[in-house]
Amino acid sequence: DVKVTQSSRYLVKRTGEKVFLECVQDMDHENMFWYRQDPGLGLRLIYFSYDVKMKEKGDIPEGYSVSREKKERFSLILESASTNQTSMYLCASSWTGEETQYFGPGTRLLVL
Amino acid sequence: AQKITQTQPGMFVQEKEAVTLDCTYDTSDQSYGLFWYKQPSSGEMIFLIYQGSYDEQNATEGRYSLNFQKARKSANLVISASQLGDSAMYFCAMREANSGGYQKVTFGIGTKLQVIP
């Protein structure tokens, strides 16, 4: 079974803090994705990566950066957390050429 | 324009009955894919079913089937014999071709399904 894990299920941070969200997949997937999910807005793509050290902006990259130093790990970084970044963050991964994205359990981030 | 539209914010269904969750999409691509995911209250997104734009038959996976009407650009999810465990948010999504060869998937805003005993 494909397994995608995220470092925290729940996280509480203060405004201005630097926040790291980690995602690890164990299926040698080329592609990895970070989404945020907000009520009434569905899932919106923040960044994705199709190879090590490669990254592409999604629909809402502002205020975020990413890092992919190893194939299995994709990190989302909030350089200076703000209250409007309070959200559910979902990581996903997939093989190139296969249709399905596999998701992690999500991280609920609260920025105070 | 919205790429994926789910017009039903919430639905109720009696246990053991069938239910249809609506999804319409907008794309100018000839090659695309349509998905449905389930998200229980625990938060994890669970893949349910996939339909490719060139697939002639409607996709089926156990109690799930995808009613694909290409001309109408609709991809409704049908759940037969609903169970209490089907209570969840359901998201329709579309994958479109990208020049880089990697997938970009757009999600709808979801429909909350409640199964009543």
Side-chain angles (χ1 to χ4, degrees), chain A residues 9 33 35 37 40-43 45 48 50 56 59 88 90 94-101 103-105 108, chain B residues 33 35 37 39 41-47 50 89 91 95 98 100-110:
Chain A
R9 291 300 303 270
F33 308 83
Y35 295 91
Q37 182 182 8
L41 296 176
L43 276 73
L45 182 65
F48 63 100
Y50 53 92
E56 291 285 335
D59 300 318
M88 170 76 139
L90 289 160
S94 71
W95 280 296
T96 298
E98 189 185 287
E99 305 302 338
T100 305
Q101 291 187 11
F103 282 82
R108 293 185 190 272
Chain B
F35 305 79
Y37 283 85
Q39 187 181 43
S41 55
S42 58
E44 186 166 352
M45 297 281 281
I46 301 165
F47 166 74
Y50 167 77
M89 282 288 284
F91 291 92
R95 184 269 304 156
N98 282 284
Y102 40 82
Q103 307 154 33
K104 186 183 169 195
V105 177
T106 305
F107 287 81
I109 64 171

Side-chain angles (χ1 to χ4, degrees), chain B residues 2-6 23-26 34 92-94 106-108:
Chain B
Q2 294 262 0
K3 285 194 175 275
I4 294 286
T5 302
Q6 294 180 257
C23 173
T24 58
Y25 61 92
D26 182 28
L34 297 154
C92 180
M94 176 173 64
T106 305
F107 287 81

Side-chain angles (χ1 to χ4, degrees), chain A residues 27-93:
Chain A
M27 284 304 293
D28 206 34
H29 285 168
E30 296 92 355
N31 307 312
M32 296 188 75
F33 308 83
W34 275 107
Y35 295 91
R36 67 175 279 176
Q37 182 182 8
D38 301 287
L41 296 176
L43 276 73
R44 292 178 292 166
L45 182 65
I46 305 171
Y47 268 97
F48 63 100
S49 168
Y50 53 92
D51 203 350
V52 175
K53 296 192 188 296
M54 306 301 285
K55 61 186 179 186
E56 291 285 335
K57 292 180 181 179
D59 300 318
I60 50 163
E62 296 80 19
Y64 303 94
S65 61
V66 290
S67 170
R68 193 164 180 205
E69 297 296 317
K70 293 185 177 181
K71 192 174 186 179
E72 67 271 18
R73 188 179 297 268
F74 192 34
S75 303
L76 180 70
I77 303 151
L78 287 65
E79 294 288 342
S80 177
S82 63
T83 53
N84 62 14
Q85 292 178 309
T86 290
S87 188
M88 170 76 139
Y89 291 87
L90 289 160
C91 175
S93 67

Side-chain angles (χ1 to χ4, degrees), chain B residues 11 13-16 82-84 86-87 113-117:
Chain B
M11 290 280 286
V13 64
Q14 203 78 36
E15 198 178 3
K16 299 190 179 77
S82 297
Q83 301 171 357
L84 295 178
D86 294 334
S87 295
L113 178 66
Q114 194 78 29
V115 180
I116 306 163

Side-chain angles (χ1 to χ4, degrees), chain B:
Chain B
Q2 294 262 0
K3 285 194 175 275
I4 294 286
T5 302
Q6 294 180 257
T7 56
Q8 305 153 315
M11 290 280 286
F12 290 94
V13 64
Q14 203 78 36
E15 198 178 3
K16 299 190 179 77
E17 298 289 314
V19 63
T20 298
L21 305 184
D22 294 341
C23 173
T24 58
Y25 61 92
D26 182 28
T27 182
S28 56
D29 286 358
Q30 295 301 309
S31 174
Y32 53 91
L34 297 154
F35 305 79
W36 278 91
Y37 283 85
K38 172 185 177 181
Q39 187 181 43
S41 55
S42 58
E44 186 166 352
M45 297 281 281
I46 301 165
F47 166 74
L48 294 178
I49 197 165
Y50 167 77
Q51 178 89 39
S53 58
Y54 292 119
D55 295 340
E56 292 184 356
Q57 303 263 2
N58 284 347
T60 59
E61 289 284 349
R63 294 186 298 111
Y64 304 108
S65 60
L66 199 153
N67 184 0
F68 181 44
Q69 297 187 39
K70 198 169 183 176
R72 295 181 58 194
K73 293 190 173 178
S74 78
N76 298 340
L77 177 71
V78 180
I79 305 174
S80 62
S82 297
Q83 301 171 357
L84 295 178
D86 294 334
S87 295
M89 282 288 284
Y90 287 82
F91 291 92
C92 180
M94 176 173 64
R95 184 269 304 156
E96 294 172 284
N98 282 284
S99 57
Y102 40 82
Q103 307 154 33
K104 186 183 169 195
V105 177
T106 305
F107 287 81
I109 64 171
T111 294
K112 185 163 186 171
L113 178 66
Q114 194 78 29
V115 180
I116 306 163

